[in-house]
Amino acid sequence: MNDIEIATEAARRGSAVLLRHWEQLGKDDADLKARNDWVSRADRESEAAILSFIREQRPHDSVLGEESGKTAALRGGGNERTWIVDPLDGTSNYLQHFPVWSISIGLLRGSEIVAGLIYEPLRDLFYTAERGGGAFRNGRRMSVSTQSGVEGSFLATGFPFRAQQFVKTYCSIFQDVITIAKGVRRAGSAALDLAYTAAGTFDGFFEMHLSPWDVAAGSLLVTEAGGVVSDFSGGQRWLERGNIVGAPAAVHRELVALIGKYVHEDELR
C-alpha cells in the first residue's frame, strides 16, 4: 500500500469508531485537557484504531497523535518519517452533535509534509494530496478559487480559544476582515476549513495557535491545489508555531498584509 492508501484505510478505521459513538456521546462524557479543550472516549478509540493500522503498515515510521503524543518507530529505520494524526478534529462540535468534524492524517518527512488526508465521515468525503502530485476530493482534482482579493471573498477562520491573551488582537484583525469580505465562517474544524479552501469552497483561511495535527494535512492540500500557506507574517513557521494563513495567492497576500497591521509572527508566543 502507498502512503495515501494507508492513510485512507486508517481513516476508515477511525471513522468506524466515531460513527458508532456519533450522537451517543455528549459533553458530559468528555474530559477537560485544558481550558475549552476537550477529549472523549471517541477521540482516544479513534486514535488507537488509526495508529494501530499505521504502525502495522509502516513500523519504521514515528507517529504523533493528538491524544497520545509522539511515539518512536517500532523498528529502527532512520528515515525521519512521522505520521501526524488528529483522530477527531472538531471534538466540541462532535460532543454537541454539530455535524462538522473530521479526521486528519499528515505525513512529515524531514521538515516537509509529503502526504495528507482529511476525511469527513458524515459525507464520506476524502481530501488527499501528495507533494508534487496535486490535491483531490474523492479522486477528482481540486483547485483553490480564483478570488482576486479579500474584497468580496468567502473566508474561514477560528477563534483563539486556547490563547486568550491574543483575543483582542484577533478581534482587531477580524473586524477589518468582515468589513470587506463577503462572508466569514467559523465552523470549528481547522482541518476541514483548509480542505474546503483547497476545494475552492472557501477563498481562504486564517487562525492562530493551532497544533501540528490541526494543519499538517490541510496545509499540503492547499499548496497542492495551487494556494499559498504561511505563518501570520508570510514565513514558514506555521507548523511549529500554529499561526496559519492559507489561500489563493492574491487573497493570501492581502490577508497577510491586513494581519500585519496588528501583529507580527514573532509577537504571537
Side-chain angles (χ1 to χ4, degrees), residues 49-184:
I50 292 168
L51 297 190
S52 175
F53 184 74
I54 291 174
R55 289 182 180 125
E56 173 189 309
Q57 296 295 318
R58 292 289 190 267
H60 298 292
D61 294 353
S62 299
V63 295
L64 173 61
E66 177 176 7
E67 310 310 335
S68 59
K70 180 72 177 285
T71 304
L74 296 181
R75 302 176 197 161
N79 58 4
E80 298 181 3
R81 285 165 45 104
T82 301
W83 296 83
I84 303 175
V85 175
D86 191 337
L88 173 53
D89 187 53
T91 298
S92 292
N93 288 352
Y94 183 89
L95 294 172
Q96 294 288 155
H97 306 164
F98 181 61
V100 180
W101 46 272
S102 62
I103 293 171
S104 176
I105 302 174
L107 177 59
L108 180 72
R109 185 176 66 206
S111 60
E112 281 191 330
I113 304 295
V114 296
L117 174 145
I118 294 169
Y119 181 42
E120 190 175 359
L122 291 179
R123 298 205 296 161
D124 197 25
L125 290 178
F126 284 93
Y127 300 84
T128 60
E130 291 183 277
R131 182 164 294 278
F136 301 85
R137 184 177 71 174
N138 282 4
R140 299 185 64 177
R141 187 176 289 272
M142 299 188 298
S143 296
V144 295
S145 77
T146 57
Q147 179 67 23
S148 60
V150 175
E151 177 78 37
S153 63
F154 187 58
L155 302 175
T157 190
F159 303 142
F161 65 92
R162 296 191 192 106
Q164 299 285 313
Q165 67 271 33
F166 298 124
V167 168
K168 185 175 181 180
T169 299
Y170 173 84
C171 287
S172 296
I173 296 167
F174 185 75
Q175 182 175 348
D176 271 15
V177 168
I178 62 174
T179 60
I180 54 177
K182 176 174 67 178
V184 182

